[in-house]
Amino acid sequence: MSAVSNQSIIYFDAAATTRCTDAVTAAMVEFSEDNFANPSSPHSMGRSAKLAVDQATASIARLLGCSYDELTLTSGATESNNIVVLGSARPESSDNIVICPIDHKSTLSAASEMERRGVEVRRMTVDANGRIDLDHLARIVDADTALVTLAYVNSEIGTLQDVPAISALLEGKETLFHIDASQAAGKVDINVQHTRVDCVSISAHKICGPKGIGALYVSSDATFRLRPLTFGGGQYRLRSGTLPVPLIVGFGIAAERISKADLASWWEAANYRRQVILETLHGHDVRYQLNSPTENAVPHILNLSFPGVRSETIIKGLPTVCIASGSACNSKSIAPSYVLTEVGHEDARANSAIRLSFTADVEIEKVGLGAELLARKVCSLQKLITREEIGA
Ligand SMILES: Cc1ncc(COP(=O)(O)O)c(C=O)c1O
């Protein structure tokens, strides 16, 4: 199979996935080729695989500020979210669960499944920026609320939720509080010592680690309030299955890297890149609408609509620039993004939306070039439409 050369590619799709760092790839190769043993095996190779798993898990625990035993390694944030949503409420009971309607499908679809099983699902309301209405949330949570779940950072528009305020709102209640921090890890503080949350989902491939692995933190007080979805060798209380050592080791290295990173510098660097993109669009007089909030949002997810131009046309017209229309997970669907329609945008605006997302260390020259190519492409498409409109 021929691979496209990455040299000429400008990658603006970091919210979909990121490239493994060289250290992650090297460690995964080592634990696939040389040290390939099952960490549950008692022999020397098994013991050294177990040691590597323990060290990696300790790194992930440091990132979250939790203890080793509070972590379950999963196949990704999709599975982590499913364990929480499907395992938190009792079917056919008076339990209800509260979800945020602009969250990732792994939460929303699991909640629909709970509805099918007879559990009441209540939906938060969000404003035009995707921020959760806290007064409304306070009204819909009651003594039967088994779970409140939300994504800390929205993957499509970058909205940052007020997790400390929601945590305070739930203080003293029996409700489990879960955050999906897949898009937040490495961008904001997700240390559970700083904000009271009961469960956190994270995903390695969003932080320059491998695909197919993630973690679920469940506080030691909350763990018996969740039922596992898989049963078997009992590697964790909440999950069974042979541990994928190469993935775990890679995840550990990725977690270690971001737990040492300076979030303020990361934020500044990402913000600078965002400004470069917006200034380039201004420089070309491109007509656009900003779908990402200007405050209470991460800087590296930039969602824009270009009136009159469908997002697919832009993406197809820019073969060397990787950008997304809606989230990657929805890209097969031709329906407008549910996130954009839920925050109140019309279908036409949602259908012309693209998402640019980047790591804070992507070279400025590449960002500038990508923005320039995008601006020129949109300009020419918009001029075409204007000419059609005036019948020229
Ligand atoms: C907010 C959010 N949650 C969950 C997921 C799913 O993560 P994974 O690919 O690890 O299953 C994603 C991936 O796009 C995401 O952005």
Side-chain angles (χ1 to χ4, degrees), residues 194-351:
H194 304 156
T195 313
R196 192 204 70 90
V197 287
D198 300 303
C199 314
V200 182
S201 302
I202 56 172
S203 172
H205 72 100
K206 310 289 185 185
I207 55 168
C208 301
K211 295 167 192 46
I213 183 140
L216 174 64
Y217 154 80
V218 183
S219 75
S220 46
D221 299 342
T223 185
F224 285 99
R225 290 160 66 191
L226 288 175
R227 293 275 305 146
L229 304 184
T230 52
F231 298 87
Q235 281 81 356
Y236 300 105
R237 195 193 78 77
L238 286 171
R239 185 184 198 258
S240 288
T242 301
L243 299 178
V245 183
L247 298 179
I248 294 174
V249 169
F251 188 9
I253 293 172
E256 188 73 34
R257 188 178 76 96
I258 59 162
S259 50
K260 285 187 181 145
D262 174 13
L263 292 184
S265 320
W266 179 91
W267 201 277
E268 198 184 321
N271 206 25
Y272 179 50
R273 282 151 181 79
R274 180 190 183 95
Q275 289 316 319
V276 167
I277 297 172
L278 291 175
E279 278 161 22
T280 309
L281 295 177
H282 281 295
H284 285 266
D285 279 337
V286 173
R287 279 182 288 134
Y288 71 85
Q289 294 151 319
L290 190 60
N291 300 322
S292 294
T294 48
E295 51 185 32
N296 297 318
V298 287
H300 74 298
I301 297 182
L302 187 53
N303 195 306
L304 306 160
S305 288
F306 298 103
V309 183
R310 286 190 70 92
S311 45
E312 297 81 37
T313 316
I314 303 172
I315 293 168
K316 279 200 196 112
L318 290 172
T320 58
V321 189
C322 296
I323 47 184
S325 61
S327 72
C329 325
N330 302 328
S331 59
K332 269 200 205 136
S333 146
I334 49 159
S337 146
Y338 65 92
V339 174
L340 295 179
T341 52
E342 193 68 43
V343 301
H345 299 314
E346 292 183 346
D347 286 6
R349 178 160 171 175
N351 284 330

Side-chain angles (χ1 to χ4, degrees), residues 15-16 75-79 81 104 106 151 153 155 180 182-183 203 205-206 213 329:
S75 61
T78 296
E79 187 186 345
N81 291 347
H104 191 260
S106 53
V153 169
S155 56
D180 174 355
S182 307
Q183 298 289 353
S203 172
H205 72 100
K206 310 289 185 185
I213 183 140
C329 325

